[in-house]
């Protein structure tokens, strides 16, 4: 138990309505610890809720407003911050990995700058908790330059893969997903995606069939596996783009022929990291919340597991030892 924090200065006190369990939280809990070894620490960085109190230096009219929280606290002085590329900050703090985050009833938010307001009072709190991963997916689609009329392959049918596919569709592209775990294929299919089980079907052949032998315009590689990157190179068209989104767990090796194809097809290998929060050219977070508010982006159907604070440790253990297969797991506080 910790006391409810009190906001001072520009701080906001948020009553958390939903906080997602991120893939990165599981190693953070069971192996790595927090990045600055700050303990005790409340983790959880994918959250939103209602502002219930503000410090004396904050806009009092914020009380009662609902929204998502941008968890990154950039230093504000490094070159990346000065060019508004906050995800690349060299010395950032972070709610939920370096400072207290969203797996709690209340969370202190440093200032209104971090608050992305929802204008739809009927948007569920758990949708606010999906804003962060949904925006990461949107950023990958933008980094790939996906636009109307394009063909896109998304590799990996986890929550970010499915949301990437949904953004690509929203942006006017035709999308196919690939996945090697049959249960995940079935889940994605049941949630409106066109999915190839690439452990059963030759993905490269299938993609060439779907694109008249040309290959897709853009691949979103969401697995981080070397074999998948190799397949991505074979699936993408000449002058195409591969967005590298999945975090690698091992050294990446690709075949000689695939390496040659990167050159011969003049491919673009584009990294993607987090999301863009500055207002120019577009604040991707505000765009996500707007699309959620308007019902154009769907996210809550991907939440397969909901947990109270008390049951959260058991849920995380189950995810860690793989006895529980999730799409998205979320802490949702019990109604009081
Ligand atoms: Zn995350
Ligand atoms: Zn910085």
């Amino acid at each position: 138990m910790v006391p409810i924090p009190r906001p001072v200065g520009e701080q906001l006190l948020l009553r958390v309505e939903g906080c997602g369990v991120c893939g990165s939280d599981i190693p953070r809990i069971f192996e790595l610890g927090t990045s600055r070894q700050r303990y005790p620490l409340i983790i959880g960085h994918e959250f939103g809720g209602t502002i219930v109190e503000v410090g004396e230096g904050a806009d009092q009219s914020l009380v009662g407003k609902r929204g998502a929280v941008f968890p990154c606290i950039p230093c504000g002085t490094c070159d990346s911050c000065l060019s508004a590329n906050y995800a690349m900050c060299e010395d950032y703090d972070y709610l939920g990995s370096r400072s207290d985050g969203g797996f709690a009833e209340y969370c202190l938010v440093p200032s209104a700058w971090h608050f992305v307001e929802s204008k739809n009072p009927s948007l569920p709190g758990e949708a606010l908790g999906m804003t962060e991963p949904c925006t990461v997916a949107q950023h990958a689609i933008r980094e790939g330059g996906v636009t109307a009329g394009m063909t896109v392959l998304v590799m990996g049918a986890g929550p970010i893969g499915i949301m990437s596919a949904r953004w690509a569709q929203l942006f006017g592209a035709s999308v196919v997903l690939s996945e090697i775990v049959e249960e995940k294929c079935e889940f994605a299919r049941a949630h409106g995606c066109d999915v190839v089980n690439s452990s059963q079907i030759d993905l490269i052949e299938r993609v060439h069939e779907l694109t008249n032998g040309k290959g897709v315009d853009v691949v979103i590689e969401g697995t981080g596996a070397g074999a998948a990157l190799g397949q991505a190179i074979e699936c993408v068209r000449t002058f195409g783009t591969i967005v590298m989104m999945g975090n690698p767990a091992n050294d990446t090796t690709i075949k000689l022929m695939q390496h040659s194809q990167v050159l011969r097809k003049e491919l673009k290998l584009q990294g993607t990291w987090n999301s863009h929060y500055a207002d120019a050219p577009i604040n991707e977070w505000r765009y996500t919340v707007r699309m959620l508010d308007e019902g154009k982006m769907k996210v809550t159907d991907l939440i397969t597991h909901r947990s109270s604070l008390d049951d959260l440790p058991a849920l995380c253990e189950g995810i860690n030892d793989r006895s529980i297969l999730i799409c998205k797991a979320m802490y949702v506080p019990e109604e009081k």
Side-chain angles (χ1 to χ4, degrees):
M1 289 287 278
V2 292
I4 298 174
R6 291 270 87 91
V8 296
E10 295 187 332
Q11 290 174 336
L12 319 173
L13 182 67
L14 188 92
R15 181 161 42 76
V16 178
E17 291 181 39
C19 182
V21 178
C22 175
S24 72
D25 287 326
I26 300 301
R28 191 169 287 127
I29 297 168
F30 296 100
E31 290 169 51
L32 307 171
T34 65
S35 31
R36 284 189 184 169
Q37 306 292 314
R38 225 186 250 174
Y39 302 105
L41 185 93
I42 299 167
I43 61 166
H45 57 269
E46 304 177 355
F47 65 102
T50 303
I51 297 173
V52 291
E53 202 184 324
V54 299
E56 69 289 350
D59 176 359
Q60 303 295 315
S61 72
L62 287 167
V63 174
K65 296 208 160 138
R66 298 174 69 236
V69 173
F70 178 65
C72 179
I73 309 170
C75 76
T77 56
C78 72
D79 284 352
S80 297
C81 282
L82 292 176
S83 55
N85 293 301
Y86 305 115
M88 278 76 200
C89 174
E90 289 155 29
D91 185 27
Y92 60 90
D93 198 345
Y94 211 87
L95 299 175
S97 69
R98 298 176 174 201
S99 289
D100 285 344
F103 290 142
E105 289 165 291
Y106 296 92
C107 177
L108 267 188
V109 176
S111 72
W113 183 78
H114 296 265
F115 184 69
V116 184
E117 190 186 345
S118 160
K119 302 267 167 57
N120 180 353
S122 62
L123 187 73
E126 54 191 39
L128 297 172
M130 292 293 279
T131 303
E132 196 262 3
C134 191
T135 308
V136 167
Q138 183 203 138
H139 185 63
I141 293 301
R142 289 187 190 276
E143 290 295 273
V146 174
T147 183
M150 284 185 165
T151 51
V152 177
L153 166 67
V154 178
M155 304 180 80
I160 294 186
I162 295 175
M163 288 188 282
S164 299
R166 287 182 176 174
W167 280 119
Q169 254 165 350
L170 206 61
F171 285 17
S174 309
V175 191
V176 63
L177 261 165
S178 70
E179 170 59 54
I180 56 171
V181 178
E182 180 53 25
E183 290 96 319
K184 289 189 178 181
C185 291
E186 280 162 25
F187 182 86
R189 268 184 214 119
H191 290 77
C193 301
D194 188 358
V195 191
V196 176
N197 182 332
S198 53
S199 68
Q200 294 168 3
I201 291 172
D202 188 320
L203 178 65
I204 298 156
E205 246 173 57
R206 184 78 192 109
V207 163
H208 283 92
E209 266 165 33
L210 290 169
T211 55
N212 295 322
K214 277 200 188 123
V216 291
D217 297 300
V218 179
V219 179
I220 309 292
E221 201 305 288
T223 74
L229 180 64
Q231 286 179 313
I233 291 166
E234 293 189 62
C235 286
V236 77
R237 70 163 167 82
T238 301
F239 303 125
T241 300
I242 297 170
V243 178
M244 296 171 69
M245 178 175 75
N247 277 300
N250 295 297
D251 288 350
T252 295
T253 314
I254 55 170
K255 294 177 189 162
L256 172 71
M257 168 271 287
Q258 293 164 340
H259 192 151
S260 298
Q261 280 195 22
V262 175
L263 282 60
R264 285 177 175 275
K265 297 203 275 192
E266 293 205 348
L267 301 184
K268 287 180 205 72
L269 301 182
Q270 169 72 50
T272 180
W273 192 248
N274 279 327
S275 49
H276 188 74
Y277 193 68
D279 287 336
I282 187 160
N283 183 313
E284 294 169 349
W285 279 70
R286 293 191 197 287
Y287 184 70
T288 297
V289 171
R290 202 178 97 209
M291 290 297 106
L292 293 173
D293 277 354
E294 294 177 7
K296 290 181 182 149
M297 173 53 79
K298 269 200 314 175
V299 292
T300 52
D301 62 329
L302 305 180
I303 304 170
T304 47
H305 294 73
R306 293 171 177 80
S307 165
S308 67
L309 218 43
D310 290 343
D311 296 334
L312 195 56
L315 176 59
C316 291
E317 269 168 43
I319 298 169
N320 187 47
D321 66 24
R322 294 171 194 269
S323 58
I324 301 175
L325 183 74
I326 56 161
C327 183
K328 191 70 190 180
M330 183 157 306
Y331 153 58
V332 183
E334 282 156 339
E335 301 276 328
K336 289 243 170 80

